[in-house]
Amino acid sequence: MPDIPFLIFSSFVLFIPAFVANPAAVITGGHFPMDFGRKFIDGKRILGDGKTWSGYFGGSLSGVVVGLILYGMFLLLGLQNYLSYGNGILSVTVTLFAMSFGSLTGDVMGSFIKRRIGIERGGKGSLLDQWPFALVSFLFLFIFSTNFFMTYYGNIIGAVSILIITPPLHRLVNIIGFRMKKKEVPW
Ligand code: CTP
Ligand code: MG
């Protein structure tokens, strides 16, 4: 019988790199639009100026760094048997790259869909702003770090707790970013 509160807690704590990648992209972003300014066949921008290479790589790599810090903390606290990104630095790094790059790849996919349905850059996407990053992070983890994925998110409790916590957390972080004048809109 799995310990449910602990599973919810660990699924959240281990997902911090995926959460961090998005606000970090706001800080490093703004340079080199990922669609190079080009339009899709519908005449609208493929992604828009809100998705840049500097945000994508800066945000993803920030997630990896935060994950490595967490990994070091779990070791120092003797928690590595309970909170683990993998066995050894190589598998830990693979997990963190999959999680963080998955997060911002999902963010890009969300923007692609937003543009196609006519929501302009910075427009409110609701769940399209809040879920794709978590879902694609799960997908990348499933592909590149299957053991880790199955341990923490391959069960209904771990996966659903992330999907439930993500919308209010995303909103809260964006309100903070807005108050700090890092974001133009509070969503
Ligand atoms: N950002 C970036 N590159 C990314 C992701 C984010 O440069 N890959 C920066 C942009 O300056 C962006 C800001 O972070 O405006 C906020 O991110 P987000 O809310 O995801 O973008 P939006 O501007 O709302 O654009 P969209 O409607 O496409 O989501
Ligand atoms: Mg936005």
Side-chain angles (χ1 to χ4, degrees):
M1 183 64 192
D3 179 349
I4 291 175
F6 183 73
L7 195 52
I8 295 173
F9 172 78
S10 53
S11 70
F12 175 76
V13 169
L14 290 166
F15 212 58
I16 288 174
F19 292 131
V20 164
N22 287 281
V26 180
I27 315 265
T28 64
H31 309 282
F32 316 113
M34 294 178 84
D35 64 5
F36 302 102
R38 285 188 304 223
K39 295 190 167 107
F40 197 60
I41 43 173
D42 56 11
K44 295 173 186 138
R45 282 286 293 274
I46 301 175
L47 298 170
D49 286 331
K51 302 295 113 140
T52 64
W53 290 110
S54 66
Y56 182 77
F57 283 104
S60 299
L61 293 174
S62 303
V64 172
V65 169
V66 166
L68 289 172
I69 293 169
L70 285 172
Y71 169 68
M73 279 170 54
F74 302 151
L75 281 179
L76 280 175
L77 297 170
L79 294 172
Q80 67 273 22
N81 291 332
Y82 308 99
L83 295 168
S84 171
Y85 286 117
N87 288 320
I89 193 70
L90 184 64
S91 80
V92 167
T93 308
V94 170
T95 300
L96 294 173
F97 268 82
M99 181 183 282
S100 305
F101 277 87
S103 175
L104 284 185
T105 303
D107 175 60
V108 168
M109 291 179 177
S111 291
F112 179 80
I113 299 171
K114 280 173 75 178
R115 295 306 86 81
R116 301 292 72 74
I117 61 176
I119 303 173
E120 60 201 65
R121 178 254 167 118
K124 200 172 187 175
S126 299
L127 284 182
L128 269 178
D129 285 328
Q130 297 155 351
W131 270 358
F133 83 85
L135 292 172
V136 177
S137 194
F138 284 166
L139 178 69
F140 276 31
L141 287 169
F142 174 68
I143 296 171
F144 298 106
S145 189
T146 313
N147 276 339
F148 172 81
F149 176 81
M150 290 318 254
T151 306
Y152 295 101
Y153 306 103
N155 58 80
I156 200 83
I157 293 164
V160 169
S161 35
I162 293 294
L163 293 181
I164 291 175
I165 193 84
T166 294
L169 182 67
H170 187 274
R171 195 81 177 91
L172 178 72
V173 169
N174 281 297
I175 289 170
I176 294 171
F178 177 68
R179 297 247 168 102
M180 288 170 69
K181 302 203 182 336
K182 295 282 177 211
K183 283 213 50 154
E184 282 159 29
V185 287
W187 54 76

